[in-house]
Coordinates of all heavy atoms in Angstrom, one line a residue:
M107 N 128.7 98.5 108.0 CA 129.2 97.3 108.8 C 128.1 97.0 109.9 O 127.5 97.9 110.5 CB 130.5 97.8 109.5 CG 131.1 96.8 110.4 SD 132.8 97.4 110.7 CE 133.0 96.7 112.4
N108 N 127.9 95.7 110.1 CA 126.9 95.3 111.1 C 127.6 94.6 112.3 O 128.8 94.4 112.2 CB 125.7 94.5 110.5 CG 126.2 93.2 109.9 OD1 127.0 92.5 110.4 ND2 125.6 92.9 108.8
L109 N 126.8 94.2 113.3 CA 127.4 93.6 114.5 C 128.1 92.2 114.2 O 129.0 91.9 114.9 CB 126.4 93.4 115.5 CG 126.0 94.6 116.4 CD1 125.1 94.2 117.5 CD2 127.2 95.2 117.0
T110 N 127.8 91.5 113.1 CA 128.4 90.3 112.8 C 129.9 90.5 112.5 O 130.7 89.6 112.6 CB 127.7 89.5 111.7 OG1 127.6 90.3 110.6 CG2 126.3 89.1 112.2
D111 N 130.2 91.7 112.0 CA 131.6 92.0 111.6 C 132.4 92.7 112.7 O 133.6 92.9 112.5 CB 131.6 93.0 110.4 CG 130.8 92.5 109.2 OD1 130.9 91.3 108.9 OD2 130.0 93.3 108.6
A112 N 131.8 93.0 113.8 CA 132.4 93.7 114.9 C 133.5 92.9 115.6 O 133.3 91.7 115.7 CB 131.4 94.2 115.9
L113 N 134.5 93.6 116.1 CA 135.5 92.9 116.9 C 135.1 92.8 118.3 O 134.4 93.7 118.9 CB 136.8 93.7 116.9 CG 137.5 94.0 115.5 CD1 138.6 94.9 115.7 CD2 137.9 92.6 115.0
E114 N 135.4 91.7 119.0 CA 135.0 91.4 120.4 C 135.7 92.4 121.3 O 136.9 92.7 121.1 CB 135.3 90.0 120.8 CG 134.5 89.0 120.1 CD 134.8 87.6 120.5 OE1 135.6 87.3 121.4 OE2 134.2 86.6 119.9
G115 N 135.0 93.0 122.2 CA 135.6 93.9 123.2 C 135.7 95.3 122.8 O 136.1 96.2 123.6
K116 N 135.5 95.7 121.5 CA 135.6 97.0 121.1 C 134.2 97.7 121.1 O 133.2 97.1 120.7 CB 136.1 97.1 119.6 CG 136.3 98.5 119.1 CD 136.9 98.5 117.8 CE 137.1 99.9 117.3 NZ 137.4 100.0 115.9
E117 N 134.2 98.9 121.6 CA 132.9 99.7 121.7 C 132.6 100.4 120.3 O 133.5 101.0 119.8 CB 132.9 100.7 122.8 CG 131.6 101.4 123.0 CD 131.6 102.4 124.1 OE1 131.4 101.9 125.3 OE2 131.9 103.6 123.9
Y118 N 131.4 100.2 119.9 CA 131.0 100.9 118.6 C 129.8 101.7 118.9 O 129.1 101.6 119.9 CB 130.6 99.8 117.6 CG 131.7 98.9 117.1 CD1 132.0 97.7 117.7 CD2 132.5 99.3 116.0 CE1 133.1 96.9 117.3 CE2 133.5 98.5 115.6 CZ 133.8 97.3 116.2 OH 134.9 96.5 115.8
I119 N 129.5 102.6 118.0 CA 128.3 103.5 118.1 C 127.3 102.9 117.1 O 127.6 102.7 115.9 CB 128.6 105.0 117.8 CG1 129.6 105.5 118.8 CG2 127.3 105.8 117.8 CD1 129.2 105.5 120.2
I120 N 126.0 102.7 117.5 CA 125.0 102.3 116.6 C 124.7 103.4 115.6 O 124.3 104.5 116.0 CB 123.7 101.8 117.4 CG1 124.1 100.7 118.3 CG2 122.6 101.5 116.4 CD1 122.9 100.3 119.2
E121 N 124.8 103.1 114.3 CA 124.5 104.0 113.3 C 123.0 104.0 112.9 O 122.4 105.1 112.8 CB 125.3 103.7 112.0 CG 125.6 104.8 111.1 CD 126.7 104.4 110.1 OE1 126.3 103.7 109.1 OE2 127.9 104.7 110.3
S122 N 122.5 102.8 112.8 CA 121.0 102.7 112.5 C 120.6 101.2 112.7 O 121.4 100.3 112.8 CB 120.7 103.2 111.1 OG 121.3 102.3 110.1
I123 N 119.3 101.1 112.7 CA 118.7 99.7 112.7 C 117.9 99.6 111.4 O 117.1 100.4 111.1 CB 117.7 99.6 113.9 CG1 118.3 100.0 115.2 CG2 117.1 98.2 113.9 CD1 119.4 99.1 115.7
E124 N 118.3 98.5 110.6 CA 117.7 98.3 109.3 C 116.8 97.1 109.4 O 117.3 96.0 109.3 CB 118.8 98.1 108.3 CG 119.4 99.4 107.8 CD 120.1 99.3 106.5 OE1 120.1 98.2 105.9 OE2 120.5 100.3 106.0
T125 N 115.5 97.3 109.6 CA 114.6 96.3 109.6 C 113.2 96.8 109.2 O 112.9 98.0 109.6 CB 114.5 95.5 111.0 OG1 113.5 94.5 110.9 CG2 114.1 96.5 112.1
D126 N 112.4 96.0 108.5 CA 111.0 96.4 108.2 C 110.1 95.8 109.2 O 108.9 96.1 109.2 CB 110.7 95.9 106.8 CG 111.5 96.6 105.7 OD1 111.9 97.8 106.0 OD2 111.8 96.0 104.7
D127 N 110.6 95.0 110.1 CA 109.8 94.4 111.2 C 109.6 95.3 112.3 O 110.5 95.6 113.1 CB 110.5 93.1 111.6 CG 109.6 92.2 112.5 OD1 108.7 92.8 113.2 OD2 109.9 91.0 112.6
E128 N 108.3 95.8 112.5 CA 108.0 96.7 113.6 C 108.3 96.1 115.0 O 108.8 96.8 115.9 CB 106.6 97.2 113.5 CG 106.3 98.0 112.3 CD 106.9 99.4 112.3 OE1 107.0 100.0 113.4 OE2 107.4 99.9 111.3
E129 N 107.9 94.8 115.2 CA 108.1 94.2 116.5 C 109.6 94.1 116.8 O 110.0 94.3 117.9 CB 107.5 92.8 116.5 CG 106.0 92.8 116.6 CD 105.5 91.4 116.7 OE1 106.1 90.5 117.3 OE2 104.4 91.2 116.2
L130 N 110.4 93.7 115.8 CA 111.9 93.6 116.0 C 112.5 95.0 116.3 O 113.3 95.1 117.3 CB 112.5 93.1 114.7 CG 114.0 92.9 114.7 CD1 114.4 91.9 115.8 CD2 114.5 92.4 113.4
D131 N 112.0 96.0 115.6 CA 112.5 97.4 115.9 C 112.1 97.8 117.3 O 112.9 98.4 118.1 CB 111.9 98.3 114.9 CG 112.6 99.6 114.8 OD1 113.9 99.6 114.9 OD2 112.0 100.7 114.6
A132 N 110.9 97.5 117.7 CA 110.4 97.9 119.1 C 111.2 97.1 120.1 O 111.6 97.6 121.2 CB 108.9 97.6 119.2
F133 N 111.5 95.8 119.9 CA 112.2 95.0 120.8 C 113.6 95.5 121.0 O 114.1 95.7 122.1 CB 112.3 93.5 120.3 CG 113.2 92.7 121.1 CD1 112.8 92.3 122.4 CD2 114.4 92.2 120.6 CE1 113.6 91.5 123.2 CE2 115.2 91.4 121.4 CZ 114.8 91.0 122.7
L134 N 114.3 95.9 119.9 CA 115.7 96.4 120.0 C 115.7 97.7 120.7 O 116.6 98.0 121.5 CB 116.3 96.6 118.6 CG 116.7 95.3 117.9 CD1 117.1 95.5 116.5 CD2 117.8 94.6 118.7
F135 N 114.7 98.6 120.5 CA 114.6 99.9 121.2 C 114.4 99.7 122.7 O 115.0 100.4 123.5 CB 113.4 100.7 120.6 CG 113.3 102.1 121.1 CD1 114.1 103.1 120.6 CD2 112.5 102.4 122.2 CE1 114.1 104.4 121.1 CE2 112.5 103.7 122.7 CZ 113.3 104.7 122.1
S136 N 113.6 98.6 123.1 CA 113.4 98.4 124.5 C 114.7 97.9 125.2 O 114.9 98.1 126.4 CB 112.3 97.3 124.7 OG 112.8 96.0 124.3
L137 N 115.6 97.3 124.4 CA 116.9 96.9 125.0 C 117.9 98.1 125.0 O 119.0 98.0 125.7 CB 117.6 95.8 124.1 CG 116.9 94.5 124.0 CD1 117.7 93.6 123.1 CD2 116.6 93.9 125.3
G138 N 117.6 99.2 124.4 CA 118.4 100.4 124.3 C 119.2 100.4 123.1 O 120.2 101.2 123.0
C139 N 118.9 99.6 122.1 CA 119.6 99.6 120.8 C 118.9 100.6 119.8 O 117.9 100.3 119.2 CB 119.5 98.2 120.1 SG 120.6 97.0 120.9
Y140 N 119.5 101.8 119.7 CA 119.0 102.8 118.8 C 120.2 103.7 118.4 O 121.2 103.7 119.0 CB 117.8 103.6 119.3 CG 117.9 104.1 120.7 CD1 118.6 105.3 121.0 CD2 117.4 103.3 121.8 CE1 118.7 105.7 122.3 CE2 117.5 103.7 123.1 CZ 118.2 104.9 123.4 OH 118.3 105.4 124.7
S141 N 120.0 104.5 117.4 CA 121.0 105.3 116.8 C 121.7 106.2 117.9 O 121.0 106.8 118.7 CB 120.5 106.2 115.7 OG 120.0 105.5 114.6
G142 N 123.0 106.2 117.8 CA 123.8 107.0 118.7 C 124.2 106.3 120.0 O 125.1 106.8 120.8
E143 N 123.7 105.2 120.3 CA 124.0 104.4 121.5 C 125.3 103.6 121.4 O 125.5 103.0 120.3 CB 122.9 103.5 121.9 CG 121.8 104.1 122.8 CD 122.3 104.7 124.0 OE1 123.0 104.1 124.9 OE2 121.9 105.9 124.2
P144 N 126.1 103.5 122.4 CA 127.3 102.7 122.3 C 126.9 101.2 122.5 O 125.9 100.9 123.2 CB 128.2 103.1 123.4 CG 127.3 104.0 124.3 CD 126.1 104.4 123.5
I145 N 127.6 100.3 121.8 CA 127.3 98.9 121.9 C 128.6 98.1 121.8 O 129.5 98.6 121.1 CB 126.3 98.4 120.8 CG1 125.9 96.9 121.1 CG2 126.9 98.6 119.4 CD1 124.7 96.5 120.3
T146 N 128.8 97.1 122.6 CA 130.0 96.3 122.6 C 129.7 94.8 122.4 O 128.8 94.3 123.0 CB 130.8 96.4 123.9 OG1 131.0 97.8 124.1 CG2 132.1 95.7 123.9
V147 N 130.4 94.2 121.4 CA 130.2 92.7 121.3 C 131.1 92.1 122.3 O 132.4 92.2 122.2 CB 130.5 92.3 119.8 CG1 130.5 90.7 119.8 CG2 129.6 92.9 118.8
I148 N 130.6 91.3 123.2 CA 131.3 90.6 124.2 C 131.9 89.3 123.6 O 133.1 89.0 123.9 CB 130.5 90.2 125.5 CG1 129.8 91.5 126.0 CG2 131.3 89.5 126.5 CD1 130.7 92.6 126.5
A149 N 131.1 88.6 122.9 CA 131.6 87.4 122.3 C 130.7 87.0 121.1 O 129.5 87.3 121.1 CB 131.6 86.2 123.3
H150 N 131.3 86.4 120.1 CA 130.6 85.9 118.9 C 130.4 84.4 119.2 O 131.3 83.7 119.6 CB 131.4 86.0 117.6 CG 131.5 87.4 117.1 ND1 130.4 88.0 116.5 CD2 132.5 88.3 117.1 CE1 130.8 89.2 116.2 NE2 132.1 89.4 116.5
K151 N 129.1 84.0 119.1 CA 128.8 82.6 119.3 C 128.2 82.0 118.0 O 127.8 82.8 117.1 CB 127.7 82.5 120.4 CG 128.1 83.0 121.7 CD 129.2 82.1 122.4 CE 129.5 82.6 123.8 NZ 130.6 81.9 124.3
K152 N 128.1 80.7 117.9 CA 127.5 80.1 116.7 C 126.0 80.5 116.7 O 125.3 80.3 117.7 CB 127.6 78.6 116.8 CG 127.1 77.9 115.6 CD 127.3 76.4 115.7 CE 126.8 75.7 114.5 NZ 127.0 74.3 114.5
G153 N 125.6 81.1 115.6 CA 124.2 81.6 115.5 C 123.9 82.9 116.1 O 122.8 83.4 116.0
G154 N 124.9 83.6 116.6 CA 124.6 84.9 117.2 C 125.8 85.5 118.0 O 126.9 85.1 117.7
C155 N 125.5 86.5 118.9 CA 126.6 87.1 119.7 C 126.0 87.6 121.0 O 124.8 87.8 121.1 CB 127.3 88.2 118.9 SG 126.3 89.5 118.3
I156 N 126.9 87.8 121.9 CA 126.5 88.4 123.2 C 127.0 89.9 123.1 O 128.1 90.2 122.8 CB 127.2 87.7 124.3 CG1 126.8 86.2 124.4 CG2 126.9 88.4 125.7 CD1 127.6 85.4 125.3
V157 N 126.1 90.8 123.4 CA 126.4 92.2 123.3 C 126.1 92.9 124.7 O 125.3 92.4 125.5 CB 125.5 92.9 122.2 CG1 125.9 92.4 120.9 CG2 124.1 92.8 122.5
S158 N 126.8 94.0 124.9 CA 126.5 94.9 126.0 C 126.0 96.2 125.6 O 126.6 96.9 124.7 CB 127.9 95.0 126.8 OG 127.7 96.0 127.8
V159 N 124.8 96.5 126.0 CA 124.2 97.8 125.7 C 123.7 98.4 127.0 O 123.1 97.8 127.8 CB 122.9 97.6 124.8 CG1 122.3 98.9 124.5 CG2 123.3 96.8 123.6
K160 N 124.1 99.7 127.2 CA 123.8 100.4 128.5 C 124.3 99.5 129.6 O 125.5 99.2 129.7 CB 122.3 100.6 128.6 CG 121.8 101.6 127.5 CD 120.5 102.3 127.9 CE 120.1 103.2 126.8 NZ 120.0 104.6 127.3
D161 N 123.5 99.1 130.6 CA 124.0 98.3 131.7 C 123.6 96.8 131.6 O 123.7 96.1 132.6 CB 123.4 98.8 133.0 CG 123.9 100.2 133.4 OD1 125.1 100.5 133.0 OD2 123.2 101.0 134.0
G162 N 123.2 96.4 130.4 CA 122.8 95.0 130.3 C 123.6 94.2 129.3 O 124.2 94.8 128.4
R163 N 123.5 92.9 129.4 CA 124.2 92.0 128.4 C 123.1 91.1 127.9 O 122.2 90.6 128.6 CB 125.2 91.1 129.1 CG 126.5 91.8 129.4 CD 127.5 90.8 129.9 NE 128.7 91.6 130.2 CZ 129.9 91.0 130.4 NH1 130.0 89.7 130.3 NH2 131.0 91.7 130.6
Y164 N 123.1 91.0 126.5 CA 122.0 90.3 125.8 C 122.6 89.3 124.8 O 123.7 89.6 124.2 CB 121.1 91.2 125.1 CG 120.5 92.3 126.0 CD1 121.1 93.6 126.0 CD2 119.5 92.0 126.9 CE1 120.6 94.6 126.9 CE2 119.0 93.0 127.8 CZ 119.6 94.3 127.7 OH 119.1 95.2 128.6
T165 N 122.0 88.2 124.6 CA 122.4 87.3 123.5 C 121.4 87.6 122.4 O 120.2 87.5 122.6 CB 122.2 85.8 124.0 OG1 123.1 85.6 125.1 CG2 122.6 84.9 122.9
I166 N 121.9 87.9 121.2 CA 121.1 88.1 120.1 C 121.5 87.2 119.0 O 122.6 86.8 118.8 CB 121.1 89.6 119.6 CG1 122.6 90.0 119.2 CG2 120.6 90.5 120.7 CD1 122.7 91.4 118.6
D167 N 120.5 86.8 118.1 CA 120.8 85.9 117.0 C 121.4 86.7 115.8 O 121.4 88.0 115.8 CB 119.6 85.1 116.6 CG 118.4 85.9 116.1 OD1 118.6 87.1 115.7 OD2 117.3 85.4 116.0
N168 N 121.8 86.0 114.8 CA 122.5 86.7 113.7 C 121.5 87.6 112.9 O 121.9 88.6 112.4 CB 123.1 85.6 112.7 CG 124.4 85.1 113.2 OD1 125.1 85.8 113.9 ND2 124.7 83.9 112.9
Q169 N 120.2 87.3 112.9 CA 119.2 88.1 112.2 C 119.2 89.5 112.9 O 119.2 90.5 112.2 CB 117.8 87.5 112.3 CG 116.8 88.4 111.6 CD 115.4 87.8 111.8 OE1 115.2 86.9 112.5 NE2 114.4 88.5 111.2
L170 N 119.2 89.5 114.2 CA 119.2 90.8 114.9 C 120.6 91.5 114.7 O 120.6 92.7 114.5 CB 119.0 90.6 116.4 CG 117.6 90.3 116.9 CD1 117.6 90.0 118.4 CD2 116.6 91.4 116.6
A171 N 121.7 90.7 114.8 CA 123.0 91.3 114.7 C 123.2 92.0 113.3 O 123.8 93.0 113.2 CB 124.1 90.3 114.9
E172 N 122.6 91.4 112.3 CA 122.8 91.9 110.9 C 121.9 93.2 110.7 O 122.2 94.0 109.9 CB 122.4 90.9 109.9 CG 123.4 89.7 109.8 CD 122.9 88.6 109.0 OE1 121.8 88.6 108.4 OE2 123.7 87.6 108.9
A173 N 120.9 93.3 111.5 CA 120.0 94.5 111.4 C 120.6 95.7 112.1 O 120.2 96.9 111.8 CB 118.6 94.2 112.0
I174 N 121.6 95.5 113.0 CA 122.2 96.6 113.7 C 123.4 97.1 113.0 O 124.4 96.4 113.0 CB 122.5 96.2 115.2 CG1 121.2 95.8 115.9 CG2 123.2 97.4 115.9 CD1 121.5 95.1 117.3
L175 N 123.4 98.3 112.4 CA 124.5 98.8 111.7 C 125.3 99.7 112.6 O 124.7 100.5 113.4 CB 124.0 99.6 110.5 CG 123.2 98.8 109.4 CD1 122.9 99.7 108.3 CD2 124.0 97.6 108.9
I176 N 126.6 99.5 112.6 CA 127.5 100.3 113.4 C 128.5 101.1 112.6 O 128.8 100.8 111.5 CB 128.3 99.4 114.4 CG1 129.0 98.2 113.7 CG2 127.3 98.8 115.5 CD1 129.8 97.3 114.5
E177 N 129.1 102.1 113.3 CA 130.1 102.9 112.6 C 131.4 102.1 112.6 O 131.8 101.5 113.6 CB 130.4 104.2 113.4 CG 129.1 105.1 113.3 CD 129.3 106.4 114.1 OE1 130.4 106.6 114.7 OE2 128.4 107.2 114.2
A178 N 132.1 102.0 111.4 CA 133.3 101.2 111.3 C 134.5 101.8 112.0 O 134.6 102.9 112.3 CB 133.6 101.1 109.8

């Protein structure tokens, strides 16, 4: 399951990041998105979603959201 399938307001644990793009992987890591970290979808928007990771809120597009796999 990825972030596009996540329910708003529910906390999930990141299972893995599935991308072959090194820059994308490094960017997500800099936001605190890596295996074992909790993540919450605040809202789904057209073309992406707003997520809360650690102490920050970020808007990510669907490409990023699909790369972040979460525990169901």
Side-chain angles (χ1 to χ4, degrees):
M107 177 167 148
N108 63 39
L109 279 185
T110 58
D111 304 319
L113 298 174
E114 293 179 5
K116 183 176 178 191
E117 184 176 274
Y118 295 91
I119 301 297
I120 298 173
E121 207 168 80
S122 65
I123 308 294
E124 281 198 357
T125 181
D126 293 331
D127 186 339
E128 293 292 323
E129 285 185 34
L130 182 60
D131 198 38
F133 173 71
L134 288 172
F135 188 82
S136 74
L137 298 181
C139 288
Y140 45 85
S141 296
E143 274 305 306
I145 189 168
T146 304
V147 174
I148 304 299
H150 288 286
K151 301 288 184 188
K152 185 176 180 182
C155 57
I156 300 170
V157 298
S158 173
V159 181
K160 297 202 179 239
D161 292 331
R163 285 187 179 196
Y164 308 99
T165 301
I166 60 173
D167 64 18
N168 281 332
Q169 180 187 5
L170 286 175
E172 289 170 2
I174 301 171
L175 300 182
I176 53 177
E177 295 178 0

